Amino acid sequence: MADTASVYLVEHVLLVAIPDNITDTEIMSLQEELSTRIVSDGARGVVIDIAALEIVDTFVGRVLAQLSSMARLLAAETFVVGMRPAVAMTLVELGMDLHGSRTALTLSHALRALRSEGLA
Amino acid sequence: MTGAAAAPRRIELKAERDIAAARSAVSRACDELQASALRKVRFVTAVSEIARNALEHGGGGTLEISASRAPRRIAVLCHDNGPGILDIDQAMRDGFTTAGSMGKGLGGARRLVDRFEIRNRPEGGVEVRMSSQV
C-alpha cells in the first residue's frame, strides 16, 4: 500500500487530504470510505484538501463531483479546499465545475463556513 | 545555435500507477524547461487524460517525452496496444464515452495543448501526439 489518504473526524466534519500520487482505484476507495463514514460517524460536513494535487484531470474531477452529490444525499456538505489557481483554470477549460461541491481557500475557511451553518 | 534537446524519456503504461508516473515525468520535464505553472498544469493534465485512455481503452501502451529548449517546447507521443478507435471524430467529442466516464478526456486534452494529433496506427493501436510551448 502506498500512502493512501487518511480520514479524520473533527467536530462532526470528516477531513481528508488527497496525496498527489493517488491512483484511480485509491480515490474510488476513498469515495466509498467517505460515504460509509458520513453515516457511521454522523458527519455533517466533508472537507477534501487537494492542495497536494498538482493537477485535477477529468477522472479526479468527476470523483470529487460525485462524492459531493453523494454526501449531500447523506445530509453532509462537501468543501473542496486548497485548489491551486492553475488547477482551477484548467478545470474550467475542461468544462468541469465540480457541481455539488463548495470550495474554500483553506481548511479553516471551510470549517468557519460549516460552523456558521451549525454543521460543525 | 539552438539549445540542446533534453533526452527523451519513455514510460511504459501497464498499470494505474504508471499514469501517475507519466504525470510526474512530464511535470519534471516541464520544470527543467522552467515552464509557467499554468502551462505546466495544462500540459500535465492533458498527459493524464491520454495516458488513462491508453490504459483503459488500449490495454496499455507507451508514452515518450521529448523537450526542446529553443523554443521551449514539450512534446509527448503516446501509443497503445488496443484495437484502435472506430470513429475518431466521435471519440474526440465531449460527452462521447464507451466506458461510463464523462467523455471529456480526449476532447479536453486537445483543448489544453497547442498541437494535438490522433490517429490509428497501420500496425494497430491509437497514437496521440501532443505538444505545447511552455
Side-chain angles (χ1 to χ4, degrees):
Chain A
M1 281 294 276
D3 40 14
T4 47
S6 305
V7 180
Y8 301 97
L9 181 71
V10 178
E11 301 178 41
H12 300 290
V13 177
L14 292 170
L15 308 178
V16 62
I18 300 186
D20 188 40
N21 57 357
I22 195 162
T23 64
D24 295 357
T25 305
E26 287 164 354
I27 200 163
M28 295 297 285
S29 335
L30 177 66
Q31 187 183 41
E32 199 177 322
E33 185 189 347
L34 279 171
S35 58
T36 310
R37 293 271 305 263
I38 289 169
V39 175
S40 65
D41 296 1
R44 304 296 311 280
V46 178
V47 178
I48 302 170
D49 187 344
I50 62 165
L53 295 187
E54 187 166 47
I55 67 140
V56 172
D57 61 14
T58 56
F59 181 81
V60 172
R62 178 167 62 104
V63 173
L64 290 174
Q66 280 177 349
L67 177 58
S68 306
S69 306
M70 217 164 54
R72 185 156 292 161
L73 290 175
L74 300 171
E77 281 294 303
T78 302
F79 277 85
V80 173
V81 305
M83 186 182 295
R84 302 181 187 191
V87 168
M89 294 172 83
T90 305
L91 277 176
V92 170
E93 283 183 275
L94 285 172
M96 313 262 318
D97 57 3
L98 304 191
H99 52 271
S101 60
R102 298 166 68 180
T103 53
L105 286 179
T106 64
L107 169 61
S108 55
H109 286 96
L111 284 176
R112 199 177 308 154
L114 286 165
R115 279 192 201 110
S116 72
E117 292 165 31
L119 297 174
Chain B
M1 264 311 273
T2 54
R9 272 156 282 193
R10 197 183 159 88
I11 313 261
E12 298 297 331
L13 303 167
K14 290 183 183 152
E16 261 184 20
R17 184 67 64 189
D18 301 327
I19 302 175
R23 281 199 297 259
S24 70
V26 173
S27 171
R28 275 200 311 276
C30 287
D31 287 341
E32 283 166 19
L33 292 172
Q34 295 172 303
S36 78
L38 180 57
R39 286 171 184 276
K40 173 168 123 174
V41 166
R42 294 175 86 220
F43 198 79
V44 175
T45 306
V47 167
S48 193
E49 302 294 349
I50 65 165
R52 178 175 292 108
N53 202 71
L55 198 63
E56 278 184 5
H57 303 289
T62 306
L63 182 94
E64 286 167 46
I65 307 164
S66 55
S68 66
R69 288 191 183 280
R72 289 185 306 175
R73 178 165 277 282
I74 181 121
V76 293
L77 166 63
C78 181
H79 56 80
D80 67 37
N81 311 317
I85 296 177
L86 208 57
D87 184 341
I88 287 189
D89 288 340
Q90 188 184 40
M92 292 302 300
R93 223 168 288 144
D94 270 13
F96 177 75
T97 175
T98 53
S101 58
M102 284 180 73
K104 288 180 191 262
L106 283 180
R110 179 167 62 180
R111 287 199 293 278
L112 294 174
V113 298
D114 294 348
R115 294 189 60 182
F116 184 99
E117 290 162 43
I118 183 168
R119 65 175 189 124
N120 289 309
R121 294 199 303 174
E123 63 270 40
V126 176
E127 178 183 282
V128 179
R129 285 172 190 273
M130 303 191 302
S131 66
S132 283
Q133 204 159 334
V134 294

